[in-house]
Each structure stands twice: as structure tokens, then as C-alpha cells.
Amino acid sequence: MERLITKLALRDDLTAKERDRLVALVSRVREFAPGDEIVREEIPVEHSSIILQGLSCRQKVLRDGRRQITAFHIPGDFCDLHSFMLKRMEHTVLAMTACRVALVPHERLVQVTNEEPHLTRMLWISTLIDAAIHREWIISMGRRSTFARLAHLFCELFVRLRTVGLTKGLEYSLPVTQSDLSDAMGISLVHTNRTLAALRQRGLVTFANRTVNIHDWAALQRAAGFDPTYLHLERQPR
Amino acid sequence: MERLITKLALRDDLTAKERDRLVALVSRVREFAPGDEIVREEIPVEHSSIILQGLSCRQKVLRDGRRQITAFHIPGDFCDLHSFMLKRMEHTVLAMTACRVALVPHERLVQVTNEEPHLTRMLWISTLIDAAIHREWIISMGRRSTFARLAHLFCELFVRLRTVGLTKGLEYSLPVTQSDLSDAMGISLVHTNRTLAALRQRGLVTFANRTVNIHDWAALQRAAGFDPTYLHLERQPR
DNA sequence: CGGACTGTTGAGAAATTTCAATGTTGGTGG
DNA sequence: CCACCAACATTGAAATTTCTCAACAGTCCG
């Protein structure tokens, strides 16, 4: 929870009361094993989930079996806050590692949004940033080379993980397979493998042993066309 | 404004007072010519925009000149409600036709969100649906053939326009060029042209004279893998 | 009538996928 | 401790998709 609060507080101050209300949202904590579905497509839910520990992703499997990952959720992410209002989920949220997840009953969210307008706006913002990340992915998939696209993802995750204290220097853990990366980038596994090799050879970044190691942060950003503005990490009173 | 209210009311009832407050949000109405920037990237704004008439898009131009369209905004869309909280915009909103736009000062939005929690949730929902549309685009760009991708776009726009009464039968006006479609789908102009020809030849849909004509709605949906659930058009009390 | 914008077509080049084989690693049971 | 298995990563090569370049046609409008 500390991480969620840290993230929200980046954008505007939270009062002690607001922090308390956030903490009180949680009804219980659940553990998921790698591969478990945290939220299953189609099944209406009565609570939203905050990732406390572990990595999860939002994905959709098409009828022909192809899979697309639309987002990664890291600790501190309110990963399906939107299910609070859009009960029917079109996607599955999948635990990629062991995950510890805080469950927030929707009726508590209704209460909080009735009583705490400022906190409501702060939560709203976090969903708006999710949308901004989606737009950046669309740009990546549409108009960036696979090389730049992968570089951009590594940049995005680096910045997001750093905000919640999950990087060490220029290194961070990204416990996914190359196949997962492929499904996030919309390319084939073979091509992912070759593009990773190219990123490595150019001395930008290495992805090995489920760890991302950035060799040249400035060059990586340049190659990716990465501009962190869209993550809205600066203070912006609401 | 009627269209915005229609759309919101699809999901849950709005009281007369809430409708009035929505209408009272608007400070003035501006007209834009085709090609005008309704919202310019980087420039902090003090109001949000509701499209009353005309077609606009959200786009980003990369340093190398390539362009990606991330969304189309149709009449009734609160096209940059998120700027209310994320002042710095990373994208430009461009008028593709002559547009009539209602301007909503951010301070009125703060007031409304302070005083009308239910209406706030309804507005929040509309941004969540924008995000759901983004995710569907990511899926399209990542894992659907260009054929299915274009088909999917035509399905999406058909359903969205129909909700605000802007279709006639299986036909609707889509005043964009093939080049615009290319920049939305992340493919080249030539390839767009050929894919449109294929859609036409297979008897699914024709795009000509800036008009989309659906020949076989069932087959088009099937080819696109289109499932309108993500647009959340059913009633869902909040 | 001419020019600007848009749409169409052909053909070679480049990116990406698919298929298929091989290498590597880490865990497990004997 | 080791053989073996499963999952993951790597590589080569042909097939396919998509892009780029380039030319030309159609339309609208001043």
C-alpha cells in the first residue's frame, strides 16, 4: 500500500485522512501463484485489486489463440480500478510471478468517491495515466520500429519501477519470458529474440535472467524516442 | 450536448439536476476549421473540450515526421477530459473536419467533482471507456491482420456513431483520407489502399467518398473479431 | 485550364513471420 | 550425483507481409 500512496502523492499531497481511507479500502489480501488469473475475463467482479507484490499483466487471448498483452502491472498499481465502474471485464489479469494482491470491495469505493472528492480525483488520475500509457503503446506499435519499441518498453518500466523503489541503479527485475515480451510488443518470439540481441550488441540494454540491465540510459531513451512526460510524475495539485 | 448526455445516460440514469450541471459546465463554444489544432501538444490548458459537431482525432507526430493517430473523437465525446487533471498534454487533438467544440473550464469541473459524486463517476466512466478503446486498438495493432484491423475500426466507429444517431442504416460518414486511416492503423498508405480494396472485394465494407458502407454487418464483425462489449453500452447503475 | 490533393497500381526492397532444428538451464526423481 | 525432462533461448532459412519508390488517374476548385 505504501507504494500506491507514494505514487499518488507524487502528483499531489494526500492528507493523513486520505491516506487512512486508502488503507481502509482493503478488505483482504490474496496470494496468487504464477499463471493464476487475478481477474478473469467475462466474470463480473465485486472488488478491485491493488498489486502489492509481484508482476502481473493484462491480456486478451483471441479466438485463434494469439495473445496480446495490453499492460504490465507493477507493485503499487491499482490494476483494475476500472472494474469498479465497468463490471464486465474484457481482459484477464494474469499473475506472471507469485503475487500478493489487496482486494478492495466496490462498495467501499462508492463510499470513498461519495465522501472524498479530492481523493477521488487522485484515483481517477491513476486511471488516466493508465490510458496515457496505452496511447504510448499504440504509438509504439504503430510507428516505432521493433527495436525502438522494445527500447521504449524498457524505458517505461524502468521509470515506473524506479518510482516505487524497485530498481537498483540501472538494473531491474523483469520476470517475464521472451515469449511474454513478444505478446506485449505484438511481434513473433523469434523476432523478439533477435531484437533483444540487437539492443545488447548496440550496448543499450541487456535482458537476461529475467533482469533488465541498462547500459546507456541516455542512448536507450534516444533510441526509443522516450519522453517520460506521459507518465506524469511531477507534482500537479488537483 | 444532447449527445454527451445520451451517451452517459446509456450507462446509468442522470437526474435532471445532473443534466443541468453538465450543460452548465460549458463556458463557450468554439468553431475549428479542418486541420486546426483543438488542443496543442505541450501547451497546458485551462479547459476541456466536448466535441459537438465534426470529427477530430488525437495524434502524435514523432521526431522523424511519422504520425500516429491514437483515437477518433466523435460528437458527444469529452475528448480531453483528462487534461483537467493532467494539465500537460502529450498529444495534439486535431479537427479533421469543421468542428464545433464546447469548452469547459477546469475550475467548473473541480466544482462539479466536489459536489456531484455520482456525476463524477459517470464522467470517470467515459474516460475508462476511452482506455478500453485504446486497449482494443493495442490488440488490433499487435495481433490482428491489417485486414481485420481495418474491419475492426469500421465496426467500432459504426457502433459508436450509432449510439449518437450518426448512422443511416449501415452507412456512416467518415470524413478522413486513406492517409489518415493509415496513420490510425500504423500501416502505409499503399497498404491501406490495398486492404480497403480487399474489404470491398470480399463484400464486407466499402470506404469511398469519405463514407463507410457496411455490406455485411455480421461478416464484418466476424472478420474483425469484433465484440462490442468493451464499449460498455449497456445499462450499469453506478 | 492548372494545380493540389487524393486514390490506385506495379514492382523491388525490407521487415517480419514461420518452420525447424539446436543449445542452455534448472529442477526432479532415481 | 546424474540422467532426464521441460521450459526457455538461439539460430538459419524460406515464406509472407508490408514498405518504399514511382508512376499515373480522378476530382475538386480557383
Side-chain angles (χ1 to χ4, degrees):
Chain A
M1 281 308 277
E2 220 20 79
R3 294 203 165 104
L4 173 61
I5 293 172
T6 302
K7 266 195 349 178
L8 295 180
L10 267 180
R11 281 128 200 165
D12 194 11
D13 292 324
L14 293 177
T15 64
K17 183 180 171 211
E18 286 173 333
R19 285 161 198 255
D20 290 347
R21 292 223 64 165
L22 272 175
V23 171
L25 280 174
V26 178
S27 68
R28 66 200 185 89
V29 172
R30 264 191 77 182
E31 310 277 344
F32 292 90
D36 282 356
E37 292 178 344
I38 296 175
V39 182
R40 177 179 278 125
E41 187 178 358
E42 297 283 324
I43 298 185
V45 287
E46 283 308 320
H47 58 256
S48 290
S49 307
I50 301 169
I51 306 293
L52 300 178
Q53 237 176 61
L55 182 71
S56 72
C57 71
R58 173 170 303 274
Q59 66 168 38
K60 171 126 182 175
V61 177
L62 302 185
R63 271 169 308 160
D64 65 359
R66 312 187 90 181
R67 174 174 78 137
Q68 179 65 43
I69 291 175
T70 58
F72 287 111
H73 298 298
I74 67 173
D77 282 358
F78 216 139
C79 81
D80 65 338
L81 182 49
H82 52 292
S83 75
F84 152 45
M85 286 175 282
L86 308 173
K87 299 292 186 192
R88 181 108 28 92
M89 289 289 86
E90 322 89 62
H91 304 123
T92 295
V93 176
L94 197 75
M96 312 198 80
T97 64
C99 283
R100 178 190 303 267
V101 175
L103 301 186
V104 174
H106 285 166
E107 66 266 25
R108 294 195 193 173
L109 282 168
V110 174
Q111 252 180 293
V112 163
T113 54
N114 278 337
E115 297 162 12
E116 301 281 348
H118 177 260
L119 184 54
T120 301
R121 286 195 293 270
M122 300 299 288
L123 290 173
W124 190 350
I125 285 184
S126 75
T127 66
L128 294 176
I129 290 170
D130 290 343
I133 294 172
H134 289 332
R135 284 193 292 272
E136 208 58 36
W137 280 42
I138 291 174
I139 294 168
S140 271
M141 309 193 78
R143 290 303 185 212
R144 285 198 254 261
S145 66
T146 49
F147 188 88
R149 204 184 302 175
L150 260 172
H152 201 279
L153 178 68
F154 290 140
C155 289
E156 174 197 311
L157 290 174
F158 175 67
V159 171
R160 287 173 59 196
L161 287 165
R162 192 176 51 182
T163 330
V164 289
L166 289 173
T167 54
K168 352 174 202 9
L170 288 174
E171 190 177 309
Y172 60 91
S173 160
L174 182 62
V176 303
T177 65
Q178 292 189 3
S179 175
D180 294 325
L181 283 182
S182 312
D183 288 337
M185 309 310 275
I187 59 180
S188 71
L189 169 58
V190 172
H191 197 49
T192 298
N193 182 280
R194 290 181 173 137
T195 308
L196 285 173
L199 283 162
R200 197 186 315 129
Q201 273 150 32
R202 293 246 215 121
L204 297 181
V205 61
T206 298
F207 172 69
N209 304 315
R210 324 236 142 161
T211 301
V212 175
N213 216 304
I214 298 174
H215 302 314
D216 185 339
W217 175 227
L220 183 66
Q221 286 178 281
R222 220 175 309 121
F226 180 74
D227 172 355
T229 308
Y230 73 100
L231 294 170
H232 293 274
L233 299 173
E234 350 70 61
R235 176 148 298 244
Q236 186 86 214
R238 291 278 91 34
Chain B
M1 280 310 278
E2 221 18 81
R3 293 202 165 106
L4 173 62
I5 293 172
T6 302
K7 266 195 350 178
L8 294 180
L10 268 180
R11 282 128 198 164
D12 194 12
D13 293 324
L14 292 178
T15 64
K17 184 180 170 211
E18 286 173 332
R19 285 161 199 255
D20 290 347
R21 293 223 63 164
L22 271 175
V23 171
L25 279 175
V26 178
S27 68
R28 66 200 184 91
V29 172
R30 264 192 77 180
E31 309 278 345
F32 293 89
D36 282 357
E37 290 178 344
I38 296 175
V39 182
R40 176 179 278 126
E41 187 178 357
E42 297 284 323
I43 298 187
V45 285
E46 283 308 320
H47 57 256
S48 289
S49 307
I50 301 168
I51 306 290
L52 301 178
Q53 238 176 58
L55 182 69
S56 72
C57 73
R58 174 170 302 274
Q59 65 169 37
K60 170 126 182 174
V61 177
L62 302 186
R63 271 169 307 160
D64 64 359
R66 313 187 88 180
R67 175 175 78 138
Q68 178 65 43
I69 290 174
T70 57
F72 288 111
H73 298 299
I74 66 172
D77 282 358
F78 217 138
C79 80
D80 65 338
L81 182 49
H82 54 293
S83 74
F84 153 46
M85 286 174 283
L86 308 174
K87 298 291 186 191
R88 181 105 31 90
M89 289 289 85
E90 322 86 66
H91 303 123
T92 294
V93 177
L94 198 76
M96 312 198 80
T97 65
C99 283
R100 179 188 302 268
V101 175
L103 301 186
V104 175
H106 286 166
E107 67 264 24
R108 295 195 192 173
L109 283 167
V110 174
Q111 250 180 294
V112 164
T113 53
N114 278 337
E115 297 162 12
E116 300 282 348
H118 176 260
L119 184 55
T120 300
R121 286 195 292 271
M122 300 300 288
L123 290 173
W124 189 350
I125 285 184
S126 74
T127 66
L128 294 176
I129 289 170
D130 290 343
I133 294 172
H134 289 331
R135 283 193 291 272
E136 208 58 36
W137 280 41
I138 291 173
I139 294 167
S140 271
M141 309 193 79
R143 290 304 186 212
R144 286 199 253 259
S145 66
T146 49
F147 187 86
R149 205 184 302 174
L150 259 172
H152 201 278
L153 178 68
F154 290 140
C155 290
E156 175 198 311
L157 290 173
F158 176 67
V159 171
R160 286 174 59 196
L161 287 165
R162 192 175 51 181
T163 22
V164 289
L166 288 172
T167 54
K168 353 174 202 7
L170 287 174
E171 190 178 308
Y172 60 92
S173 159
L174 182 63
V176 302
T177 64
Q178 291 189 3
S179 175
D180 294 327
L181 283 182
S182 312
D183 287 336
M185 309 310 274
I187 58 179
S188 71
L189 169 59
V190 171
H191 197 49
T192 298
N193 182 281
R194 289 181 173 136
T195 309
L196 285 172
L199 283 162
R200 195 187 319 129
Q201 272 151 33
R202 293 245 214 121
L204 297 181
V205 62
T206 298
F207 173 68
N209 305 316
R210 325 236 141 159
T211 300
V212 175
N213 217 303
I214 298 173
H215 303 312
D216 186 339
W217 175 229
L220 183 65
Q221 287 178 279
R222 222 175 307 119
F226 179 75
D227 172 355
T229 309
Y230 74 100
L231 293 170
H232 293 274
L233 298 172
E234 351 70 61
R235 177 147 296 245
Q236 187 85 212
R238 291 280 84 50

